[in-house]
Amino acid sequence: MQAEQLEILGFIRRFPPFNSLDDETLTTIAEQIEIAYYRAGTIILNYGDLVQDLYLIRSGAVEMHRRSGELHNRLSVGNLFGQMGLLMNNKVRMSATALEDTLVYCLPEILFNALYDEHESFADYVEVEDTARLRQAVSRQGGGDELLTSTVGELIAREPVTIAVSATVLAAAQKMTTQGVSSILVLSEQGNNQEGEPQVVGILTDNDLRARVLAEGLPTDTGVAEVMSQDLVALESGQFVFEAMLLMLRYNLHHLPILHKGKPVGVIALSDVMRHESRNNLFVVRHIFKAQNIDELAAIADDVKACFIRMVNEDANSQMIGTAMAGIGRSFKQRLLELAEYELGPPPVPYCFLALGSMARDEQLIVTDQDNALILDNNYDAALHGDYFATLAKRVCDGLAACGYSYCTGDIMATNVQWQKTRLQWEQCFSDWIVNPNAQSLLNSSIFFDLDGVYGRTEWADQLNGLISRLAQRSPRFLASMARNALGRTPPLGFFKEFVMEQDGKHNNSINLKRRGTAPLADLIRVHALAVGSQAHNSFERLNDVIESGLLPKGRGPDLRDAMEFIATVRIRHQALDLEAGNEPDNNIEPDNLSDFERRNLKDAFQILSNAQKFMKFRYQPNRS
């Protein structure tokens, strides 16, 4: 082999898809490659032209443009182009222009076809675009334990058995017997939703009939409404089985109504859930609620880490892991509040303890701090009640710190009197942030507009979410300001799609996957969600609402979902590897520690984020509706 061919061989074996081929095949490729040189500004391929080679960039850079003239991608050393044309009737699908003086290796069509037919790894790589390749990578996630991948809708064996709220317990018992069920859903006489359909107002179970009717000696003509369980706990059909298990453990339930967009579609029993149980389930929650003091709670922190690692090793996807970790975090807060109230006595006025940020979005991971706040009853008087809630908040925040949830460096915690407000004060505060956006209020909005009630009068949190949704959707100036604010964190890609490293001392020459990946994605999705009036908390659920609204160009929504999932997955896996190695996990990765698969797909995901930020910059302007 000549020296020039040896140099070609050494080069191509460094880059996918050639790095997966054997030496004999690589030698054949090196012997057949031709070399071409293009000066800066030269058009290499025009849309619709005949293409007969696969191009591999040896040096320089190339821009790819769509038929419309829109920039699709910038390619650098080691990148391929021309493959889609070779696969589609030899017609160029995207034009290619040398951005600078560029040297390319050309693989003739006959060699390309032979590699495609004989090597599956080569075919897999060249037959998909960047976004499709990323979608393939994402689709491999979540294929593990059924508890983590099955939705509660899959457990429903039959339609729900229902009865009107005006019925008697005798009628209910007869219907339950006839239908062979152990529970019956109670419906309102008239609809109280927009469609005018009856709504679920309660549930009656065998246990209710035994404990509340027979044991109390009530007559059979007793109304169902007098003995049914009214504080209904339910799940949407798309939620996961492990979420059902957590709810049942938390509230000691044996039956759980399942809804689809608010309408009842079935009831699952604890036995249905237990059939999906495995050793990897989240019974850590049960231990949390059995703990009698902070020391016992703090001892559970290692179990949380083990649970996180097990879920990662079971190939649970980021949404499952984020939801599970947020559920555990909520449980810690709830138990700490229960213990605090037990020691301090009942609260002098009603309150709601809020979770903010990633916990509220169900996107919490193992590396997290605490963000929380208090909503207080409008009758709250600081002089009379302030000491109680100051002590309560301190016990909870100190307890969370002992359990592994570090104090918020920005002091976004319930111990800060600035974030102890009455219902009316929070409403006025949020309204002012939306009507008069400034740098500080926009920063606050990006934190506090992800809120969830975890204890106490949690309906107050729902009401605040409704207020945010109504006001923001009608405020283009606020949305434009939020959009500009969300553009402050850009993906770590340079001009030629090369990684841009952090330069901050401790994490020098690394990439912060939260600050440069999942956080800007969450910011971007939040803006879109506010624009369409979504009241969802989770970024994936918000994105579903955005896609359904038609706000995004076709295909951009699924691309964003894949980008969010893949970046989060890489972040999660590297945190789990740190834990298994006995190291302190963080959000930073070094590209040298990434596999070729991760590196390639991360670049695709970051490019999707970059394109989405460009669209957001155009979409949200103060004078646009």
Side-chain angles (χ1 to χ4, degrees):
M1 182 179 288
Q2 298 178 2
E4 186 178 57
Q5 292 173 337
L6 287 172
E7 196 278 335
I8 293 174
L9 177 63
F11 178 80
I12 63 174
R13 70 182 351 142
R14 292 164 45 198
F15 298 97
F18 306 104
N19 58 0
S20 63
L21 303 178
D22 59 83
D23 288 343
E24 183 179 352
T25 302
L26 290 174
T27 299
T28 300
I29 295 171
E31 291 173 345
Q32 296 188 46
I33 274 179
E34 298 181 1
I35 302 174
Y37 174 77
Y38 299 91
R39 294 186 65 84
T42 303
I43 296 176
I44 303 173
L45 296 173
N46 267 315
Y47 178 83
D49 283 354
L50 182 69
V51 60
Q52 294 181 308
D53 294 286
L54 174 69
Y55 296 82
L56 171 65
I57 300 174
R58 176 62 180 86
S59 64
V62 174
E63 279 191 341
M64 307 297 295
H65 289 85
R66 301 182 191 276
R67 183 179 183 180
S68 64
E70 177 188 3
L71 177 66
H72 169 68
N73 209 348
R74 288 190 178 96
L75 306 179
S76 59
V77 174
N79 291 149
L80 299 175
F81 62 97
Q83 65 267 36
M84 296 310 295
L86 291 171
L87 293 169
M88 301 175 71
N89 301 317
N90 293 88
K91 296 294 182 181
V92 174
R93 313 308 300 176
M94 292 187 187
S95 64
T97 303
L99 191 60
E100 57 186 55
D101 291 352
T102 299
L103 191 71
V104 295
Y105 291 155
C106 304
L107 280 72
E109 179 184 3
I110 188 170
L111 175 59
F112 172 86
N113 289 334
L115 293 171
Y116 183 86
D117 291 338
E118 297 170 13
H119 299 276
E120 186 175 352
S121 62
F122 182 90
D124 286 345
Y125 186 90
V126 302
E127 70 184 2
V128 294
E129 293 278 13
D130 291 349
T131 55
R133 184 166 61 240
L134 179 61
R135 186 149 302 139
Q136 280 187 354
V138 168
S139 68
R140 297 180 184 131
Q141 290 302 117
D145 190 89
E146 287 190 358
L147 183 70
L148 306 176
T149 58
S150 300
T151 63
V152 289
E154 298 173 42
L155 301 188
I156 298 173
R158 57 178 296 170
E159 292 183 356
V161 179
T162 63
I163 198 165
V165 70
S166 59
T168 65
V169 293
L170 176 61
Q174 289 174 334
K175 192 167 188 178
M176 290 166 66
T177 301
T178 301
Q179 295 291 327
V181 295
S182 57
S183 66
I184 190 166
L185 295 181
V186 184
L187 304 182
S188 61
E189 294 287 359
Q190 296 180 340
N192 53 6
N193 61 355
Q194 292 181 348
E195 291 78 19
E197 298 175 345
Q199 297 294 290
V200 180
V201 295
I203 185 172
L204 189 70
T205 67
D206 282 345
N207 186 61
D208 294 330
L209 289 171
R210 183 177 69 252
R212 299 177 184 175
V213 179
L214 293 178
E216 296 295 328
L218 297 182
T220 57
D221 60 356
T222 299
V224 167
E226 296 181 40
V227 295
M228 68 181 183
S229 298
Q230 298 183 55
D231 296 329
L232 203 65
V233 178
L235 280 182
E236 282 287 322
S237 59
Q239 292 180 261
F240 297 109
V241 172
F242 78 87
E243 295 179 83
M245 185 187 69
L246 288 176
L247 275 181
M248 288 179 159
L249 290 173
R250 172 68 184 94
Y251 295 104
N252 195 26
L253 301 175
H254 290 81
H255 297 84
L256 194 64
I258 305 302
L259 312 177
H260 180 67
K261 294 184 177 180
K263 300 176 183 178
V265 293
V267 177
I268 62 172
L270 184 59
S271 56
D272 298 321
V273 176
M274 296 311 291
R275 279 198 296 269
H276 284 257
E277 181 195 8
S278 77
R279 66 180 181 86
N280 293 329
N281 59 36
L282 302 180
F283 276 117
V284 62
V285 172
R286 172 174 287 176
H287 297 307
I288 290 173
F289 286 104
K290 285 183 176 180
Q292 298 302 308
N293 53 56
I294 290 179
D295 289 340
E296 291 183 13
L297 285 170
I300 300 173
D302 286 341
D303 294 335
V304 177
K305 293 176 182 178
C307 178
F308 176 81
I309 292 171
R310 286 196 299 268
M311 293 185 74
V312 173
N313 290 337
E314 288 282 352
D315 283 333
N317 65 32
S318 73
Q319 190 173 3
M320 300 169 191
I321 294 173
T323 300
M325 292 297 106
I328 290 172
R330 286 190 188 92
S331 299
F332 275 117
K333 286 184 176 178
Q334 290 162 356
R335 186 55 180 156
L336 285 165
L337 285 159
E338 288 174 350
L339 293 172
E341 284 190 8
Y342 179 77
E343 293 183 21
L344 300 176
V349 294
Y351 72 97
C352 172
F353 199 91
L354 292 176
L356 308 170
S358 60
M359 183 182 292
R361 294 195 309 272
D362 282 338
E363 294 167 21
Q364 193 162 55
L365 301 185
I366 204 68
V367 179
T368 186
D369 59 3
Q370 50 177 294
D371 295 310
N372 44 65
L374 277 171
I375 307 176
L376 301 164
D377 187 82
N378 286 333
N379 293 320
Y380 171 78
D381 184 331
L384 297 175
H385 313 134
D387 289 345
Y388 179 94
F389 287 105
T391 304
L392 179 88
K394 189 175 188 308
R395 293 199 179 194
V396 173
C397 292
D398 288 349
L400 287 171
C403 295
Y405 300 85
S406 59
Y407 296 112
C408 174
T409 55
D411 205 18
I412 309 296
M413 295 185 293
T415 47
N416 185 341
V417 293
Q418 184 181 1
W419 309 126
Q420 300 174 5
K421 298 181 186 291
T422 65
R423 296 174 63 194
L424 181 59
Q425 288 171 337
W426 277 115
E427 290 171 1
Q428 293 170 338
C429 181
F430 285 178
S431 298
D432 182 62
W433 289 350
I434 292 172
V435 174
N436 302 300
N438 56 50
Q440 187 59 50
S441 67
L442 290 170
L443 176 61
N444 291 338
S445 297
S446 67
I447 299 170
F448 286 87
F449 284 10
D450 295 339
L451 65 90
D452 184 40
V454 299
Y455 190 85
R457 300 293 295 273
T458 55
E459 69 272 15
W460 293 351
D462 297 333
Q463 291 163 8
L464 281 179
N465 275 317
L467 174 72
I468 294 167
S469 177
R470 291 192 302 274
L471 293 181
Q473 192 176 17
R474 300 196 300 263
S475 305
R477 178 167 169 256
F478 173 74
L479 291 173
S481 299
M482 284 287 285
R484 286 196 303 271
N485 202 54
L487 295 173
R489 293 186 282 198
T490 57
L493 284 183
F495 193 69
F496 299 119
K497 275 187 75 175
E498 294 301 316
F499 290 128
V500 175
M501 306 301 165
E502 303 285 343
Q503 302 295 330
D504 62 354
K506 179 182 177 181
H507 296 296
N508 196 35
N509 294 324
S510 67
I511 299 171
N512 188 302
L513 289 180
K514 178 182 179 181
R515 184 164 61 235
R516 305 295 295 276
T518 55
L521 275 166
D523 291 342
L524 181 147
I525 293 168
R526 182 189 302 109
V527 175
H528 290 326
L530 289 171
V532 302
S534 171
Q535 293 190 39
H537 296 154
N538 179 262
S539 292
F540 291 101
E541 294 174 3
R542 286 172 170 172
L543 191 53
N544 288 338
D545 290 341
V546 173
I547 293 171
E548 189 174 333
S549 75
L551 181 147
L552 297 175
K554 185 177 180 181
R556 295 287 183 88
D559 286 350
L560 277 173
R561 184 189 298 118
D562 293 338
M564 183 79 165
E565 176 61 36
F566 191 80
I567 296 172
T569 296
V570 175
R571 180 182 166 205
I572 286 167
R573 288 194 175 280
H574 281 261
Q575 288 183 1
L577 288 172
D578 281 340
L579 286 173
E580 289 181 315
N583 301 324
E584 189 68 26
D586 56 37
N587 294 307
N588 287 72
I589 60 165
E590 294 73 32
D592 289 346
N593 293 332
L594 293 171
S595 66
D596 288 339
F597 173 85
E598 288 176 322
R599 188 180 294 110
R600 182 172 67 247
N601 286 291
L602 270 179
K603 289 181 178 180
D604 295 341
F606 287 139
Q607 187 63 52
I608 289 170
L609 170 56
S610 179
N611 293 338
Q613 288 185 330
K614 292 173 185 174
F615 172 79
M616 185 170 67
K617 183 177 181 180
F618 163 78
R619 174 65 178 78
Y620 297 101
Q621 300 173 21
N623 58 346
R624 289 179 68 96
S625 57

